[in-house]
Amino acid sequence: MTVIYATPVPAHLRRMMLFSLLLAAHVIPAIAQAQSPRLDICWPAFDYDGKPAQTDAAYSKAILPGSERETAHHTAESRTMTAPDGKLQIRLDGKNYKDFPAAEYAVSLTNLSKTEPTGIVGGFRSLELSVDKPDSATAVTVNVLRGSTCKPTDFIPETFTIEAGKELVLTTTCGRSSNDYVPFLELNLDDKNGYLFAVGWTGSWKARFANTGNAVDVEIGMERTHFRLMPGETIRQPSVVVLARRNQTRREFKTLVHRFMLDKKVPRDSAGKIIPPILAVASGGGNKTPQMMADVLQYCLDNKLPFDTYWVDAGWYGAPHEDELYSNCGPNWWKYVGDWRVNTTTHPTGDLLPIADAVHKAGLKFLLWFEPERMTDSAPILETHPEFRHGQLVDYGNPETLQWIQDTVYGMIAKHSIDVYRQDFNMDPGPVWREMDAADRVGIAEAKHIAGMYKFLDDMRARFPDILQENCASGGRRIDMEMISRAHTYCRSDYYIGRKPDDTAFILGQNATLNLMPYLPFQGCEFNCVPVGDDYAAFSIISSGTVITPSDFDGGILRRKITDDETAWFKKVFDIAIRMRPFFMGDFHQLTEETAAGNDVWCAWQCDRPDLKAGFAIFFRRGAAPEESRTFRLGGIEPEGTYQLECYDSSKNTVESSELRNLTVKLVPRSFQLVFYRKMQ
C-alpha cells in the first residue's frame, strides 16, 4: 500500500540546519545553491513516553571517544544521544565524503539498562532536517521512480509538486523496500539545485517532505514505530545517504550519483576490487537432471558463447520427489522452500557437484538460487522447531533460527564452491511483522528481521570474501541503498519472464537501464522475452548484466537442437554484450530525460570510460516516436581530438570531437543504433 497526501503544514515544526556553507570555486548565488551535506549536526527525531525528544535539552549528546577517523576520502565519527533516564541511547555512525558532496549515517538504539525496559519510543525518524529554499512562495518538486510490481510501468518516473504550506508523504507498508517506490528520493529546489535522499532500509520506510515556505522539512524513518526496548536490547533503524546537487542539471547530477555508487557502494572482492557484472546462461531451475544441466553447459562451450556464469535457479531442493523436468523451475519449486536438502530423485548423488564441478572445470562461475527467509510446511526443521517460522516467514530476529539458516546455506556454499549466491524473497513480510508485534513493541519484529538479514549476508561475505551476492525479491522489490551495497540485481522485474504483448517488455528494459542505472550500476534481467533475431528487443533488454535460459526458447537443447542460425544470432548479440560490459564500470550519462511506458519517445544513454578514452552510446527510437532524428550531447568527450566510431552494423567512421559531442542520430521507427567510440592517439 502507498500513501500519498498533501495537508497544511503545522506551524510549530522545528527546523534543524543540515548544511554548512562551503566556499565555491566560482560564484553561485547562495540562496539558490544546495550546500554540501553535513549530517554530523543532525539528530533523529522521536517521542519518548509521549514527549518530543528533539526539544528536550536534558538529552546528553557526545562524540564517542576514539571514533573519529580520517582517510584520504572521508572523515568519520560516531555520536551518541542519551535520554535523561539513562536507559535509551541512540548511536549515529556517520561519514562525510571529501570527494563527493555526500554524507551518511547509520542508526541504532540501545537500552543501557540491564534490568529495566525503556520508555516508549514513538514515531522514530532516523533523519530530520530542514533545507532552506530561495523563495518562500515557490513550490518544490520531488522526483521518484515507481517500484517493481511485475508491470510494464515498473521504474517509470513520477514527479510530485509540493506547494508552500503543503506536504508529501511517501511510504511502503508491504515490507519490501522498492515495491512501491525505489527509495532514492530527489528533492529539487530549482532547476540546478537540490538533494538526493537515499534510504538504507530493506523493509517498510516512510519519507515526509513539507514545504513550510522558507524551507523544506525532511523526515525519513521506518513506517511504523511505537516500542520499548528490553534490558540490554539493541535494534537497528534505517540508514540514510544525502547527496547535494549544486549548480547541475538533473542529468549531470545522475552521472555524479552513479559515480558515487560505483566508487563507494557496490560490492568488492577480498582484494578491494569491484566485482564486475555477470553474463549468465541458465539451465532454468534445479529441477533439471544432471545430464540436462551438462548439455546446456556443453552447448555453450562447443559454440564458444561468451558466458562467464552458469545459473541454477529454484527447484533443486526438497524431499525426494518426481518433478516436471522441462518448464523453467518446474511446478513444485514453491512447495519445498525451506527444505534445503537436494532432491535425490532428480539428483541421485544428493548434491549438485556434477554440474558445479563441470562449471568450475570450464572456468565459469557457479550460481545457485536460495530463498532462505521463507519456509513452507514441508520443511523438516518445523518438526523440532516450529518457532523458527511465523506464517511462512523465517524468524531472522531469533538468534537460534538465524544460526540454523546460516549453517545450512553456508554449508551448501562451501560444499559446491558457489561463486554467486542468489537470494530471492517471494512474500510480503509486512503483515507478518505486524502480527508479531505487541502493542508496546510495534516495529521491533521488522527491525530485528532486517538486522538479522544484513548479518546473514555480511557473515557470508566474511566467510566467503570473494562471493558475489545477487538480490531478487519477486523481481526488483528490494532495491535500496543497503542491498545495493551488498548485492547485484539480475531480475530487476518479473515482467520480463515470458513473452509480453507488443513492445511493453522492451520499453521496460530501456526504462530500467536509463532510469535505474544511476542508483543500481549492476543490474539485468531474463532474456527469454526476446524473439530470436529481434535485435531491437535484445538490446532493449541487455544491461550491465543479463541471463539467458536456452530451454525457454521452444525447449532449446533439452527438447530440440538449437539451429545454427539461432546459435549464430545468440553469439552475435552476446559477443556485443561482453564488449559493452567494461564500459558499465565507468561513467553513466542519461542522454534523454527519464522515460516512461509510452511508445512515442526516444530513449538513449551512454557509458564512458575516461581512463580508456572510449565508451559506447545507444539510441532507441520507439515505434510511435514522431521525430526521425535527434541530436544528443554526449558526455566525457574531450574538446580536441579525433575519435574512431564503430556502429552495430560494423560500419566505421572517424569524426572530430565537436561532431561526437553533438551527435545527430537518424532512425526509422522501432529501431536502435549502438555506437562504440575511442579516441585516436
Side-chain angles (χ1 to χ4, degrees):
M1 179 181 180
T2 304
V3 177
I4 307 169
Y5 56 85
T7 58
V9 177
H12 67 276
L13 287 175
R14 184 181 62 86
R15 295 175 51 207
M16 178 182 291
M17 292 303 297
L18 164 66
F19 304 105
S20 66
L21 183 64
L22 297 181
L23 294 177
H26 50 286
V27 177
I28 301 172
I31 60 171
Q33 181 187 4
Q35 300 300 318
S36 296
R38 287 288 305 277
L39 297 187
D40 56 2
I41 61 174
C42 288
W43 296 94
F46 58 96
D47 293 340
Y48 192 50
D49 277 341
K51 299 178 181 179
Q54 55 268 36
T55 58
D56 191 339
Y59 282 75
S60 61
K61 299 173 181 177
I63 296 175
L64 200 65
S67 69
E68 296 176 282
R69 305 174 302 282
E70 182 163 0
T71 72
H73 300 290
H74 68 263
T75 60
E77 67 179 20
S78 298
R79 295 176 290 139
T80 60
M81 174 181 180
T82 307
D85 64 8
K87 292 186 285 188
L88 178 67
Q89 184 175 85
I90 293 92
R91 172 171 171 158
L92 308 179
D93 294 309
K95 185 180 292 185
N96 287 293
Y97 291 94
K98 298 179 180 179
D99 40 2
F100 290 94
E104 67 179 281
Y105 62 52
V107 186
S108 61
L109 284 70
T110 298
N111 183 357
L112 299 178
S113 172
K114 303 301 182 185
T115 58
E116 298 179 342
T118 66
I120 294 289
V121 177
F124 191 91
R125 287 90 79 199
S126 293
L127 179 69
E128 187 208 43
L129 57 93
S130 277
V131 175
D132 285 337
K133 56 191 283 285
D135 185 343
S136 62
T138 60
V140 297
T141 60
V142 172
N143 287 88
V144 296
L145 299 177
R146 287 193 190 173
S148 179
T149 56
C150 194
K151 297 178 182 177
T153 52
D154 288 359
F155 309 123
I156 67 169
E158 193 158 355
T159 302
F160 297 97
T161 299
I162 312 173
E163 302 288 346
K166 301 292 184 179
E167 69 177 23
L168 167 72
V169 175
L170 300 174
T171 188
T172 180
T173 62
C174 72
R176 293 192 284 183
S177 54
S178 58
N179 185 86
D180 299 294
Y181 294 100
V182 180
F184 285 75
L185 315 172
E186 280 188 88
L187 172 65
N188 303 296
L189 304 179
D190 56 36
D191 290 343
K192 288 294 189 75
N193 297 279
Y195 300 93
L196 175 69
F197 298 91
V199 184
W201 191 247
T202 316
S204 293
W205 53 269
K206 181 178 181 179
R208 173 179 173 269
F209 298 88
N211 184 350
T212 65
N214 293 324
V216 181
D217 292 341
V218 183
E219 298 177 350
I220 295 173
M222 276 182 62
E223 189 260 333
R224 301 163 57 254
T225 49
H226 182 85
F227 57 79
R228 65 176 79 248
L229 297 181
M230 296 297 105
E233 185 176 33
T234 295
I235 65 165
R236 184 170 183 155
Q237 287 290 280
S239 62
V240 63
V241 176
V242 184
L243 287 98
R245 177 163 71 98
R246 298 181 292 179
N247 199 34
Q248 291 177 304
T249 66
R250 289 186 62 237
R251 284 197 215 169
E252 291 169 334
F253 183 57
K254 294 297 182 61
T255 297
L256 176 69
V257 171
H258 179 268
R259 194 175 295 154
F260 172 80
M261 297 300 293
L262 201 62
D263 194 45
K264 307 298 183 185
K265 292 297 178 182
V266 297
R268 293 175 180 264
D269 63 17
S270 58
K273 295 181 180 179
I274 293 174
I275 302 176
I278 65 174
L279 184 62
V281 62
S283 63
N287 56 320
K288 307 300 184 291
T289 67
Q291 186 58 55
M292 288 175 167
M293 291 180 171
D295 290 344
V296 172
L297 176 63
Q298 196 60 47
Y299 165 78
C300 297
L301 299 177
D302 290 345
N303 291 285
K304 296 182 172 55
L305 293 170
F307 302 112
D308 55 38
T309 300
Y310 189 97
W311 181 305
V312 177
D313 215 271
W316 51 266
Y317 41 81
H321 63 278
E322 295 288 344
D323 215 336
E324 194 279 297
L325 301 175
Y326 293 99
S327 59
N328 197 311
C329 291
N332 300 310
W333 71 269
W334 61 273
K335 296 179 181 179
Y336 298 96
V337 168
D339 180 355
W340 301 116
R341 299 171 295 174
V342 175
N343 175 15
T344 53
T345 301
T346 304
H347 302 280
T349 60
D351 53 41
L352 300 172
L353 287 176
I355 186 60
D357 290 346
V359 166
H360 289 132
K361 183 178 180 181
L364 277 66
K365 300 172 184 176
F366 183 59
L367 176 151
L368 188 59
W369 180 100
F370 291 85
E371 191 180 356
E373 293 167 85
R374 192 166 67 90
M375 184 188 298
T376 67
D377 294 342
S378 67
I381 191 68
L382 292 174
E383 296 177 6
T384 53
H385 291 284
E387 76 280 7
F388 281 10
R389 184 184 70 158
H390 295 273
Q392 288 197 355
L393 184 68
V394 179
D395 186 3
Y396 274 46
N398 180 338
E400 292 183 7
T401 310
L402 182 60
Q403 187 63 59
W404 167 75
I405 195 65
Q406 286 181 300
D407 291 344
T408 301
V409 175
Y410 297 177
M412 285 290 292
I413 292 172
K415 183 173 185 176
H416 295 85
S417 300
I418 293 171
D419 305 285
V420 185
Y421 162 79
R422 173 166 163 79
Q423 176 163 303
D424 206 345
F425 189 44
N426 293 297
M427 64 175 291
D428 286 341
V432 180
W433 290 328
R434 286 191 281 276
E435 289 183 3
M436 292 172 64
D437 287 334
D440 64 347
R441 296 278 283 171
V442 175
I444 292 295
E446 175 177 344
K448 286 186 171 294
H449 184 99
I450 296 300
M453 191 266 291
Y454 294 156
K455 177 176 171 56
F456 173 82
L457 293 174
D458 294 344
D459 288 355
M460 180 190 298
R461 180 164 296 284
R463 181 167 173 181
F464 309 101
D466 292 320
I467 201 168
L468 171 59
Q469 295 165 337
E470 197 270 339
N471 165 36
C472 181
S474 306
R477 304 189 193 207
R478 271 180 147 184
I479 298 171
D480 59 78
M481 183 63 87
E482 290 289 346
M483 289 302 282
I484 292 170
S485 69
R486 291 170 169 84
H488 296 184
T489 298
Y490 295 120
C491 193
R492 56 196 180 187
S493 173
D494 274 356
Y495 188 77
Y496 299 109
I497 299 174
R499 299 292 172 84
K500 296 298 186 292
D502 303 317
D503 280 345
T504 53
F506 315 135
I507 289 171
L508 172 56
Q510 297 170 22
N511 290 343
T513 298
L514 177 73
N515 301 345
L516 198 57
M517 186 64 69
Y519 315 127
L520 184 64
F522 302 139
Q523 56 172 284
C525 60
E526 175 59 69
F527 196 76
N528 63 15
C529 58
V530 176
V532 172
D534 190 338
D535 291 3
Y536 175 88
F539 285 93
S540 296
I541 291 296
I542 287 170
S543 188
S544 48
T546 308
V547 55
I548 181 174
T549 306
S551 59
D552 285 343
F553 290 81
D554 300 321
I557 301 175
L558 303 189
R559 289 185 181 271
R560 68 176 183 91
K561 183 180 184 298
I562 292 181
T563 69
D564 291 344
D565 287 345
E566 289 174 314
T567 297
W569 185 76
F570 288 144
K571 184 168 175 56
K572 178 187 74 168
V573 165
F574 290 117
D575 280 347
I576 294 293
I578 283 290
R579 184 177 176 185
M580 296 167 69
R581 185 169 62 174
F583 298 111
F584 283 100
M585 305 282 282
D587 284 340
F588 181 80
H589 300 274
Q590 291 183 332
L591 300 182
T592 60
E593 299 300 333
E594 294 104 324
T595 49
N599 196 33
D600 58 349
V601 297
W602 286 59
C603 179
W605 63 84
Q606 174 194 2
C607 292
D608 180 76
R609 287 284 296 269
D611 57 326
L612 302 178
K613 300 184 187 301
F616 76 81
I618 190 164
F619 313 89
F620 297 91
R621 179 185 175 186
R622 295 180 182 172
E627 310 100 320
E628 68 174 14
S629 68
R630 283 191 58 176
T631 299
F632 299 89
R633 184 166 181 83
L634 271 62
I637 306 302
E638 297 188 359
E640 302 292 336
T642 302
Y643 283 79
Q644 181 176 337
L645 308 186
E646 183 178 349
C647 298
Y648 181 65
D649 61 7
S650 298
S651 63
K652 296 182 179 180
N653 191 17
T654 301
V655 300
E656 296 302 311
S657 295
S658 57
E659 182 178 348
L660 183 57
R661 292 175 73 187
N662 295 279
L663 187 64
T664 298
V665 179
K666 184 175 181 180
L667 292 173
V668 300
R670 198 191 185 274
S671 66
F672 79 104
Q673 181 61 278
L674 171 62
V675 178
F676 291 95
Y677 61 85
R678 182 177 299 275
K679 187 179 181 185
M680 301 175 68
Q681 298 298 327

